[in-house]
Each structure stands twice: as C-alpha cells, then as structure tokens.
Amino acid sequence: METLSTPVISLPRHPNPTTLTVNNGHQHHPHPVFSLIKQCKNIKQLKQIHAQMLRTGLFFDPYSASKLFTPCALGTFSSLEYARKMFDQIPQPNLYTWNTLIRAYSSSAEPIQSFMIFLQLVYNSPYFPNEFTFPFVIKAAARLVQFRVGQALHGMVIKSSFEDDLFISNSLIHFYAMCGDLAMSYCVFVMIGKKDVVSWNSMISGFVQGGFFEKATELYREMEMENVKPDEVTMVAVLSACAKKRDLEFGRWVCSYIEKNGIKMDLTLSNAMLDMYVKCGSLEDAKSLFDKMEEKDIVSWTTMIDGYAKLGEFDAAMSVLAAVPIQQIATWNALISAYEQNGKPNEALSIFHELQLSKNVNPDEFTFVSVLSACAQLGAMDIGGQIHAKMKKQGIKLNCYLTTSLIDMYTKCGNLDKALEVFHTVKSRDVFVWSTMIAGFAMYGRGRDALDLFSRMQEAKVKPNAVTFTNVLCACSHSGLVDEGRMFFNQMQPVYGVVPGVKHYTCMVDMLGRAGLLDEAVEFIEKMPIVPGASVWGALLGACKIHENVELAEYACSHLLELEPENHGALVLLSNIYAKTGKWDNVSELRKHMRVSGLKKEPGCSSIEVNGEIHKFLAGESSHPLCKEIYSKLDEIVARLKSFGYVPNRSHLLQLVEEEDVQEQALNLHSEKLAIAYGLISVEPSQPIRIVKNLRVCGDCHSVAKLISKLYNREILLRDRYRFHHFSGGNCSCMDYW
C-alpha cells in the first residue's frame, strides 16, 4: 500500500472540528491536515487522509471537506468517480464544493452530469449559483450543444445580475458559437465593456468553426487596433482561418508576427503553422518548419504525410511514414486515405497490405472506411469481403460510417444481397445509411424497391437530406418512374424542407431525357431558378445520344462547352451521336478539333477481380499473360453467338470503317467483351462474373452480355459509369431501359 513519507498518517484530533468554520463556510484557523493534502502525490494517499478525516469527524466540516474534495475532482491524479462518492458523503457541501464538482464534470466524458449537479444545487441546496458556477455549466451546455439549456442559463445569468461578468460572457460567446448561433455569439461579444484576450479568442475561434474565415481575420485585425496582445490561442485560430481560406500570404505574415513578437511556440501552435502551409500548398515552407521543430507528435507527422500525398508526391509521403519514430495508425490512415481520395485505390490497398504485414499497429475504423471505399472503386469484391471478415475478427463495432462504407462496397462490387444483409443486421441507421441503401437499389434499376425503402425511412423517423433525394430521383430516372420523380422533386422544399440543388435538377433532366421527354427537359432547364451547370447540359446531351436527336445535342453541347471549354467528354459524346446517325464528316471535323486542341478521349477500360487480383483490359488488349487464351475464348463466343442468330450492331462503331469484317472485329475488341472472355476462363461456373467499366457500356456489348448469360448459363454483373447491369438467362436487370 502506497503511503506518504511517514509510514502512517496521523491527523491531530480536534475536539470540535465545527469551530473551524463559521456559517458562511470561511475558515478561522488552518488545520494541519491541509498541508498533508497538498503533499499527496496519488489518489491512494488522498484516500488515506479521507479515512482519517472520517474517523476524526473532520470530514463533516464543509470547509475541510472542500479542501480534500478539490484535488480528488480536479487534481493531476484526480478520480471523478471517487470524487462523486466523496461528494455524496458530505452532509452539507458548501457552494465552493458544488462549483468544483460542476467544473470537473464540465470537462469530463459526461458533461451532462455537470448540468444534473447544477439542478441539484438549485433545488436541493441552500445556495444559489454564483459567478463561479455559471461559466462551467455553460461550458457543459456548449459541449453537449444544448441550445435551449444554454439559453435558459443565459436567462438565469441576466436575472442574477451577472451579465457583466467577463468570465460568464466569455463562456456564453463560446456556447453560442458551438451551437452555430454566431449572431448571438457576436452580440454577447459586442456587449462586453472591457474585453480580454479570451473574449477575442472565443469570437475569432467561433467564426473559424462556423466557416466565416474572412470575419475571423477581420476580427483579428480589429483586435490589433484595440491594442489587445494576442496569445498562442489567438494565433492558432487565425492560422486555421488562413488554412481554410488558402491565404498563404496572410498566413506567412502571421508566422512572421509570431516570431517577431515572441509568442510562445508550443506544439499546438507549431502544428497549426504546419497545417496552414500544407493546406495552402507550400510544402517547401512546411518542410522547413517541420525540420526545425524540436518536438513533433502524431499530428505533425500525419500533417506532412497528408500534405505530400494530396499533392501527388507519394514517394515523399512514404519517406515521412518510414521516418515516424513510433508507428501509429493515424499516420498510415493519412496515406491510405490520400491514395483512395486521389483515385489511386490499388495503391491504397497496397499500403493497407503493408500495414497488415508490419504488425506494429492495428487498423481502426478510419482505416477500414478508406480501404472499403478503395474496394468499391475497383469493384474488388473478394478483397472487400476479406476486409469485412478482418473487421469482425478484430471486434470492430459497426458505427454508421462503417455501415455506410460496407453497404457502398458490396453494392458497387455487385453483391446487392450482401449489402442488404449488412443493412438489416445493424440496429443504428442514420440518414447516410438509409441513403446509401437507396442508392444501391437505384444503381441496380430497382426503382420501386428504392421508393419502398424511402417510405420505410420516413416511418423510422429519419429525416431525408439532399443526398437522399439525389438517390431517390436517380432511382426514378433509372427505372422510368417519371410521375414519381416529378412528385418527389416538387415535395422536396415544401414537405421536407430540402432546397433542390444542381444535382437534383440534373437528375430531373436525366429522368425526363431518358424517358424521351426531351421538350419537357428543355423547358425544365429554361425555368430553373438557378443557373444550369455543366452537369445539367451533360444530362441533356446524354439523352440526345439515346434518342439520336442531333440538333438538340448540338444545342446542349454548345452550352456545356461555354461552361467547360476543356470538357473532352462533351465533344466525344457529340462525336458518338454523329457517328451513330452516320454523320461521318461531322465526326471527322470534331476529332480534328480535338487533336488540334490537345484534347484526348478517355480510353475505355474494364476490370475484373479474380482470386483477389484486379485484371484490367483496354480495347484490343494485348499485354495480358493469358492474351492468347482470351482471344481464343472470344472467337469461340462469337461463333456460338452467330449460330444463335447474333448480328453485330454496327451503329455502335464510332469511326468510319468500310469493310464489314473489320467493323465486326472492332466491336469484338471492346474492353468489356475481353473482360467477360477472361471471366469465363478464370471464374468458377458457380460464381458470377463481376466487371467494372469506366465508361458507359455500349449497346452491342450489352446485347452480347445478355446472350452470353443465356448460352453459357452464367451470371454477369457489369458496373458502368452510371449503373449496374445484372445479366442472367438472356435478360438484364435494366430491362433495356438505360
């Protein structure tokens, strides 16, 4: 048992401990036990003194009890659980003790308890809250983001005539900012007669957190004009504003000011400077500062890794990761996430594999969200399934982020049933979980199921958001549910309070266009209350390709190119429309323009996962190790298809070719056909063939996939840029409405 310097603590017995205090709780004479309390170095020693004070009766004196209680609740070795038990033993705790417990809980993992103790103080004690009570209970309300509770406390402050108290005012500024009411926060700030640095810091930080970065820097300049000297907290907030604004010039000025004025450079401030340089794209400044930093923590290392990775300097990012003295999962997460978010899913999974081999740290929830997203991009079902199994083995509990990621992964990898299984097994479903599952049904052309799920979501009292409606309208578009789409779009703002954005207008144009209602689509665009973006004109252009409307296609393309002159996709799509309608002179002219402008068509690419390995195919692929076997299988497929009556649809040729055999060969070399041929060779007959295409699947490949599914009795799941096609028994899940 740990003790103080003496083997046994002996407390002088006081014949009448109550004489130590008078009714107002103020001490008459210091008791020798108080010096022993100050000497305590751990909770066990405090417990010893507590036991002695109980035996002598000294503990039942409110003032003496408060002296013991304070280090228990707020000391460096405090135990809030033990402090609460001690508090409940005090017959009549004084106001200082009440305030101490409220303060302790306000910074704890259970700030709600701060408010509960406050209520007990108000209703079950002889005291009324004072100027030392309110700042901490208001802090608890801020942490809980309880706006009405904070408003009620503000009312009590005014009734108690404490509205001029600086500490209370500062806590109210912070509270309103945390609750998102910056107008009220600023109102409190303005009403303060003599502001201190905390007042300014609270308001500047509030503007930064609320996204008003310009206001934050303006207020900082105002602070300087008022001759209030900023501290390190001020500079962290201002640097954060510079980082969010991408204002490198002012950020550099702030760093220079810090150096010239001798502001204390602690680790938090150094990290804020580092973050500003990285976010403003000045890795040279960031590296210079990083190399000078005597102390670095996980935030420092992660910031540098993230900075290099997001600018595409992955080798440098890997070098920093290798130099981290103590490996932590956050540094790995920064690199994995950067790869995944920069369209490098293979590299993200490769780093994840290295992480597993290192065995120094275990992946966490953030790791799994990133790698599941990488699997979704690739359509890597096997790898995604293995990651899911690892999560279970590691005992990772599914929160809404992980649930959303799993549903998204299984959906995009072609296993809607598994996505549904995950959806139905979780108890907690937020708006994003519901929305992702609705998106899954939309991708598979199961519009009715998507709308049924939307109804169930409302029954579950989950309020839909803008993402939900994008997915609902997408479901209507892919399934030809025009009346339903119109209804939901018209209900968005009046019924659900969601203001339609450009994505919703794009979905509506896409829905009307797919259904052949091109005139209505044009009228809809003309009546839009917001300026039509490139995506809106792109949706109309795509509809023109489906319905071969050349005149309207040219109209849509001209508007699109006005907004995005470098959009090669628009020119390619218009070229395809010309080709489909036999206007080869126009095709030639457009392609010449693209060559002169340096614009290149994105090449079609199809990928297929076999035994956890991703195989990619371009049109006319010749580098695959099994190239000979693939083309042999393709010849066999074509022969069987022809015997079944298949005739190649040459309208899908995008260049003028006179000879029929060359036309046919050009169609046969499409990447999705090569991927299907490889799938027939390599994937077990009992397993579906899952393919991901980076562009929209062409009509001839769609027809061929349907026939292969029947002739070879195979399930084929093909995900193109816009949706899923599930081929089985000669049919497609899209019902040829795509």
Side-chain angles (χ1 to χ4, degrees):
M1 178 176 172
E2 292 185 51
T3 61
L4 292 170
S5 55
T6 51
V8 179
I9 297 177
S10 297
L11 301 182
R13 292 184 179 275
H14 200 288
N16 184 12
T18 56
T19 61
L20 285 167
T21 61
V22 291
N23 289 338
N24 63 7
H26 290 289
Q27 182 186 9
H28 273 213
H29 305 289
H31 196 285
V33 73
F34 301 155
S35 62
L36 290 173
I37 291 172
K38 289 180 181 178
Q39 294 174 42
C40 287
K41 296 179 180 177
N42 54 56
I43 195 70
K44 287 186 178 181
Q45 292 175 345
L46 279 174
K47 287 179 179 179
Q48 282 185 311
I49 294 175
H50 183 194
Q52 291 278 12
M53 288 176 70
L54 284 169
R55 284 196 292 271
T56 62
L58 186 62
F59 181 75
F60 302 107
D61 166 56
Y63 178 78
S64 301
S66 73
K67 298 294 282 185
L68 178 66
F69 180 77
T70 301
C72 275
L74 300 175
T76 53
F77 47 84
S78 61
S79 168
L80 194 47
E81 182 183 1
Y82 187 72
R84 180 60 188 270
K85 290 176 182 177
M86 184 188 292
F87 178 83
D88 292 339
Q89 286 182 336
I90 303 171
Q92 291 181 319
N94 59 19
L95 183 54
Y96 176 84
T97 305
W98 283 99
N99 287 346
T100 302
L101 187 57
I102 290 168
R103 177 183 175 184
Y105 272 124
S106 71
S107 301
S108 75
E110 297 180 283
I112 185 68
Q113 291 298 326
S114 185
F115 186 64
M116 302 309 290
I117 298 297
F118 175 80
L119 291 178
Q120 288 184 42
L121 165 65
V122 172
Y123 292 107
N124 300 330
S125 84
Y127 306 108
F128 190 81
N130 65 6
E131 66 271 29
F132 301 108
T133 315
F134 284 110
F136 297 110
V137 74
I138 291 169
K139 177 183 176 181
R143 290 189 62 204
L144 293 164
V145 197
Q146 288 291 329
F147 186 70
R148 290 188 177 180
V149 171
Q151 276 188 316
L153 291 168
H154 193 177
M156 289 181 72
V157 166
I158 293 168
K159 286 182 179 179
S160 308
S161 300
F162 290 134
E163 67 266 33
D164 293 328
D165 184 272
L166 182 60
F167 298 106
I168 294 175
S169 294
N170 288 343
S171 65
L172 284 168
I173 293 169
H174 174 69
F175 161 74
Y176 282 116
M178 287 296 289
C179 291
D181 191 343
L182 286 169
M184 192 63 195
S185 182
Y186 189 67
C187 182
V188 175
F189 174 78
V190 169
M191 293 296 290
I192 299 174
K194 192 173 182 181
K195 305 173 183 69
D196 65 1
V197 69
V198 177
S199 314
W200 292 92
N201 289 350
S202 299
M203 197 64 248
I204 292 169
S205 298
F207 280 135
V208 173
Q209 289 165 15
F212 293 89
F213 312 122
E214 199 64 50
K215 286 278 188 186
T217 52
E218 282 176 17
L219 196 63
Y220 169 70
R221 291 186 176 100
E222 199 177 311
M223 178 183 180
E224 279 201 303
M225 290 170 64
E226 293 285 334
N227 293 318
V228 179
K229 188 177 179 182
D231 61 11
E232 62 272 18
V233 177
T234 322
M235 306 324 283
V236 167
V238 175
L239 285 166
S240 179
C242 294
K244 298 288 174 56
K245 286 169 59 185
R246 306 292 189 264
D247 189 345
L248 180 60
E249 185 182 352
F250 188 56
R252 281 177 172 157
W253 182 89
V254 172
C255 293
S256 174
Y257 180 93
I258 290 167
E259 189 176 339
K260 288 176 182 175
N261 289 272
I263 292 174
K264 183 185 173 186
M265 275 289 291
D266 59 11
L267 184 57
T268 303
L269 183 53
S270 295
N271 283 339
M273 291 170 69
L274 197 64
D275 181 64
M276 183 276 296
Y277 283 135
V278 165
K279 284 196 168 77
C280 291
S282 181
L283 281 177
E284 188 178 334
D285 284 327
K287 188 177 185 307
S288 176
L289 173 63
F290 184 77
D291 291 340
K292 290 176 186 173
M293 287 170 62
E294 294 180 5
E295 183 187 3
K296 300 180 182 80
D297 63 1
I298 193 66
V299 175
S300 320
W301 291 97
T302 302
T303 301
M304 284 305 296
I305 292 169
D306 191 52
Y308 279 124
K310 283 183 176 172
L311 286 178
E313 297 185 28
F314 293 106
D315 289 341
M318 285 293 293
S319 297
V320 176
L321 177 63
V324 178
I326 301 173
Q327 292 290 331
Q328 293 187 47
I329 191 59
T331 52
W332 289 87
N333 287 347
L335 191 55
I336 292 169
S337 174
Y339 271 124
E340 179 267 316
Q341 290 177 20
N342 280 273
K344 294 181 177 290
N346 280 310
E347 290 82 352
L349 293 177
S350 176
I351 298 297
F352 177 67
H353 182 62
E354 282 187 43
L355 167 64
Q356 290 177 291
L357 292 176
S358 73
K359 296 182 179 179
N360 292 326
V361 288
N362 282 323
D364 62 10
E365 290 89 345
F366 299 103
T367 324
F368 287 122
V369 167
S370 292
V371 293
L372 286 170
S373 179
C375 291
Q377 287 183 47
L378 292 166
M381 171 74 186
D382 293 345
I383 300 172
Q386 290 166 15
I387 291 168
H388 190 186
K390 182 171 179 61
M391 287 165 57
K392 290 178 179 177
K393 186 178 179 182
Q394 203 172 306
I396 298 287
K397 291 182 179 179
L398 290 186
N399 57 28
C400 289
Y401 296 107
L402 282 170
T403 302
T404 300
S405 298
L406 278 169
I407 293 170
D408 184 59
M409 183 274 293
Y410 280 122
T411 299
K412 289 179 178 173
C413 289
N415 197 333
L416 190 62
D417 290 339
K418 190 69 179 176
L420 276 166
E421 181 186 311
V422 172
F423 178 80
H424 289 305
T425 52
V426 294
K427 293 179 180 177
S428 177
R429 302 186 191 115
D430 68 1
V431 64
F432 295 103
V433 173
W434 285 95
S435 299
T436 303
M437 197 65 248
I438 290 169
F441 281 129
M443 282 182 69
Y444 284 76
R446 291 172 58 173
R448 291 292 175 194
D449 289 328
L451 299 189
D452 288 345
L453 194 64
F454 180 64
S455 297
R456 285 175 52 199
M457 174 183 178
Q458 293 171 85
E459 289 169 8
K461 307 297 182 188
V462 177
K463 186 181 178 182
N465 63 9
V467 175
T468 316
F469 278 104
T470 299
N471 298 341
V472 166
L473 293 173
C474 185
C476 294
S477 177
H478 286 315
S479 301
L481 303 174
V482 178
D483 291 338
E484 290 84 347
R486 285 197 196 100
M487 178 189 73
F488 284 120
F489 180 82
N490 291 329
Q491 287 180 347
M492 280 179 65
Q493 191 164 358
V495 177
Y496 299 97
V498 178
V499 179
V502 68
K503 288 184 179 180
H504 306 108
Y505 286 103
T506 301
C507 285
M508 286 297 292
V509 173
D510 184 63
M511 180 187 73
L512 295 169
R514 283 177 190 273
L517 303 171
L518 295 175
D519 290 340
E520 186 178 342
V522 172
E523 186 182 347
F524 181 84
I525 294 171
E526 290 171 349
K527 291 181 178 178
M528 280 174 59
I530 59 175
V531 177
S535 59
V536 172
W537 294 111
L540 184 62
L541 183 59
C544 292
K545 181 177 185 292
I546 295 170
H547 301 288
E548 301 181 17
N549 190 320
V550 177
E551 185 181 348
L552 189 56
E554 290 172 337
Y555 172 74
C557 189
S558 66
H559 278 284
L560 204 163
L561 291 173
E562 278 180 25
L563 297 169
E564 296 181 354
E566 300 295 311
N567 190 324
H568 68 275
L571 292 172
V572 169
L573 197 51
L574 183 58
S575 174
N576 293 351
I577 294 169
Y578 285 145
K580 198 174 180 182
T581 53
K583 295 181 179 295
W584 297 107
D585 290 342
N586 299 75
V587 172
S588 178
E589 191 178 324
L590 261 185
R591 294 193 173 181
K592 181 181 178 182
H593 169 72
M594 289 179 69
R595 281 194 302 273
V596 172
S597 304
L599 298 174
K600 291 184 179 179
K601 176 185 181 295
E602 182 182 359
C605 176
S606 297
S607 61
I608 177 172
E609 182 190 30
V610 177
N611 298 324
E613 187 178 347
I614 305 296
H615 299 260
K616 289 187 175 182
F617 295 90
L618 297 172
E621 180 68 49
S622 59
S623 62
H624 195 278
L626 295 179
C627 202
K628 186 178 178 182
E629 291 87 342
I630 291 167
Y631 280 101
S632 175
K633 190 68 177 179
L634 195 57
D635 290 340
E636 174 204 307
I637 292 168
V638 171
R640 287 191 66 179
L641 291 179
K642 284 184 175 179
S643 68
F644 198 73
Y646 161 70
V647 177
N649 187 343
R650 295 184 177 89
S651 70
H652 293 285
L653 279 171
L654 302 179
Q655 53 190 356
L656 182 58
V657 180
E658 297 290 346
E659 297 82 3
E660 287 193 9
D661 58 332
V662 179
Q663 290 179 349
E664 188 176 320
Q665 186 182 13
L667 284 171
N668 290 341
L669 295 179
H670 282 192
S671 65
E672 48 267 66
K673 291 191 178 85
L674 295 174
I676 291 172
Y678 179 66
L680 290 171
I681 295 169
S682 307
V683 179
E684 291 292 325
S686 61
Q687 297 300 311
I689 296 169
R690 293 186 171 90
I691 295 165
V692 176
K693 173 82 186 284
N694 65 329
L695 304 175
R696 189 176 188 269
V697 63
C698 90
D700 185 68
C701 290
H702 189 270
S703 300
V704 166
K706 285 198 293 184
L707 289 170
I708 291 174
S709 73
K710 184 173 183 178
L711 290 176
Y712 287 84
N713 193 27
R714 297 296 296 265
E715 276 192 72
I716 301 170
L717 288 143
L718 195 158
R719 183 183 109 200
D720 71 8
R721 177 170 282 182
Y722 302 104
R723 64 176 299 156
F724 254 102
H725 298 271
H726 184 181
F727 303 99
S728 180
N731 297 307
C732 178
S733 59
C734 74
M735 306 294 288
D736 294 334
Y737 187 84
W738 58 287

